[in-house]
């Protein structure tokens, strides 16, 4: 009787694992096929798109990437996106890391209020308030135009990066706070015995053991900033300041009438490539244990 129960349990475990593997393989196929198809289409000549779209390219027509980079100005758009993303991530980490550490590890007057404010920020979709943001910056430009003679808020990559950082601050603080709360108090106690202050403890003790959480925050926010379209399109109206998603949408609209599909898919690949490289570089940090070494409770 006992052997029958063990056999049934083993069979159910195998069936469950098989089901999980089938689902994971199906999801992987759903993700891989469109990405592989975009890469394959990016090296085709335009005449090859009039046949079977699933046929392998006759050769590697790399001129599509050169045309997308130079003629469609994707290189300039990518540089703008890189500048905005790096500045936004820098501002976000400089603000969010100390805020999350203090709010999660220390109790002080007003800490409950600030925690509630960051929690409330999770329910605000910045895409719904992009018009008030635009009007606020536009009014600011009207006010400073009399002093400086030119606007400084709209069509400014740094201001766009600042808006991105503010947009991501509630989620980032919430995610980091949840991780910081899980760390043993012995870290601070050991650092205090060694004579370390609050700032030194955060920089030299807490941040190094929080690398998996910080890398996760960087990856999520990089994807968000890199692929953002609505705010960038609203705040940057000059063609030379467009970010990559806005430039790609304009390229797709233009190439549909020009029937230069290879150049269009080359632009798509240029958008995807940095995110794929970043994920490959940080995937080990994303999958490893949340804490490594340190003190044992």
């Amino acid at each position: 009787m006992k052997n029958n129960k063990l056999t049934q349990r083993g069979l159910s475990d195998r069936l469950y694992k098989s089901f999980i593997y089938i689902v994971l393989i199906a999801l992987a196929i759903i993700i891989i096929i469109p990405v592989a198809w975009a890469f394959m289409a990016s090296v085709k000549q335009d005449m090859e798109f009039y046949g079977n779209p699933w046929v392998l390219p006759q050769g590697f027509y790399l001129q599509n990437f050169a045309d997308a980079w130079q003629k469609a100005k994707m290189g300039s758009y990518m540089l703008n996106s890189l500048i905005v993303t790096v500045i936004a991530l820098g501002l976000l980490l400089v603000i969010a890391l100390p805020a999350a550490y203090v709010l999660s590890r220390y109790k002080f007057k007003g800490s409950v209020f600030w925690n509630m404010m960051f929690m409330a920020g999770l329910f605000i979709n910045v895409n719904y308030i992009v018009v008030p943001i635009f009007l606020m910056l536009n009014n600011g430009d009207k006010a400073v135009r009399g002093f400086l003679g030119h606007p400084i808020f709209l069509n400014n990559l740094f201001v766009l990066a600042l808006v991105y950082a503010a947009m991501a601050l509630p989620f980032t603080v919430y995610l980091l706070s949840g991780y910081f709360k899980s760390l043993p108090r012995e870290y601070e106690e050991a650092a205090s015995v060694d004579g370390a202050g609050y700032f030194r403890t955060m920089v030299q003790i807490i941040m190094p053991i929080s690398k998996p959480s910080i890398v996760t925050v960087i990856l999520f926010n990089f994807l968000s900033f890199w692929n953002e379209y609505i705010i960038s399109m609203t705040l940057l109206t000059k063609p030379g300041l467009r970010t990559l998603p806005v430039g790609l949408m304009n390229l797709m609209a233009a190439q549909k009438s020009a029937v230069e599909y290879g150049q269009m898919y080359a632009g798509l690949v240029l958008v995807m490539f940095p995110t794929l490289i970043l994920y490959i570089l940080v995937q080990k940090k994303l999958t490893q244990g949340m804490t490594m070494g340190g003190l044992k409770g």
Side-chain angles (χ1 to χ4, degrees):
M1 188 70 177
K2 186 176 181 180
N3 292 333
N4 290 335
K5 290 182 178 180
L6 292 175
T7 302
Q8 292 177 355
R9 184 177 179 181
L11 180 61
S12 62
D13 289 342
R14 288 194 295 270
L15 291 175
Y16 177 74
K17 290 181 179 179
S18 300
F19 172 75
I20 295 297
Y21 287 139
I22 292 174
V23 172
L24 292 176
I25 292 172
L27 291 174
I29 292 174
I30 292 173
I31 295 172
I32 291 173
I33 287 180
V35 174
W37 192 86
F39 275 91
M40 183 177 66
S42 67
V43 295
K44 286 184 176 182
Q45 297 190 45
D46 294 330
M47 65 183 67
E48 298 181 58
F49 287 92
Y50 295 101
N52 187 346
W54 297 104
V55 174
L56 293 176
Q58 299 176 2
F60 291 93
Y61 190 66
L62 301 180
Q63 185 63 33
N64 290 330
F65 291 94
D67 292 340
W69 187 267
Q70 297 177 354
K71 294 182 181 179
K73 299 181 180 180
M74 297 299 289
S76 176
Y77 300 151
M78 180 175 288
L79 179 61
N80 292 337
S81 286
L82 183 62
I83 292 173
V84 171
T85 301
V86 170
I87 294 176
L89 285 175
L91 291 172
L92 180 63
L93 293 177
V94 168
I95 298 172
L97 283 171
Y101 176 67
V102 171
L103 291 174
S104 61
R105 306 294 285 184
Y106 301 103
K107 297 297 181 182
F108 56 92
K109 188 176 180 180
S111 61
V112 176
F113 170 78
W114 287 112
N115 273 304
M116 291 180 61
M117 289 297 100
F118 281 114
M119 287 288 292
L122 295 173
F123 299 95
I124 299 176
N125 190 330
V126 73
N127 292 325
Y128 298 151
I129 60 173
V130 65
V131 173
I133 292 175
F134 172 80
L135 294 177
M136 179 181 66
L137 296 178
N138 188 45
N139 291 334
D141 279 338
K142 291 180 180 179
V144 302
R145 189 177 284 113
F147 300 98
L148 301 178
H150 57 84
I152 61 173
F153 295 113
L154 294 176
N155 292 310
N156 188 320
L157 295 179
F158 179 81
V159 173
L160 178 62
L162 186 62
V163 173
Y164 282 175
M167 171 184 69
L169 190 59
F171 170 75
T172 304
V173 170
Y174 174 76
L175 186 64
L176 292 174
S177 296
Y179 175 76
F180 289 153
K181 288 179 181 178
S182 67
L183 298 178
R185 291 285 178 180
E186 285 81 355
Y187 286 114
E188 280 92 348
E189 295 174 2
S192 178
V193 170
D194 291 338
Y198 297 125
F199 182 77
R200 183 181 173 188
T201 300
M202 180 187 68
V203 173
Q204 297 185 356
I205 306 298
I206 301 300
M207 287 187 182
I209 63 177
S210 304
K211 284 183 180 179
S213 179
I214 295 174
V215 168
T216 301
V217 164
I218 292 175
L219 179 61
F220 285 166
N221 286 300
F222 178 89
L223 295 176
S224 176
F225 300 159
W226 188 262
N227 297 318
E228 201 284 321
Y229 174 76
I230 296 178
I231 301 174
S232 176
M233 181 185 65
T234 305
L235 301 186
L236 301 178
T237 58
K238 291 184 178 179
L241 294 177
R242 288 171 179 164
T243 55
L244 200 53
V246 179
L248 178 61
M249 290 298 295
N250 293 334
L251 172 64
M252 293 176 67
Q255 297 311 319
K256 285 180 181 178
S257 58
V259 199
E260 295 180 356
Y261 297 111
Q263 185 174 330
M264 181 178 67
Y265 283 105
L268 283 171
V269 172
L270 290 176
V271 175
M272 293 189 297
F273 191 71
T275 58
L276 294 176
I277 294 297
L278 179 63
Y279 180 77
I280 292 173
L281 293 176
V282 303
Q283 62 175 334
K284 291 183 179 179
K285 289 292 183 182
L286 291 175
T287 54
Q288 68 182 225
M290 292 301 291
T291 56
M292 296 173 292
L295 297 172
K296 302 293 182 181

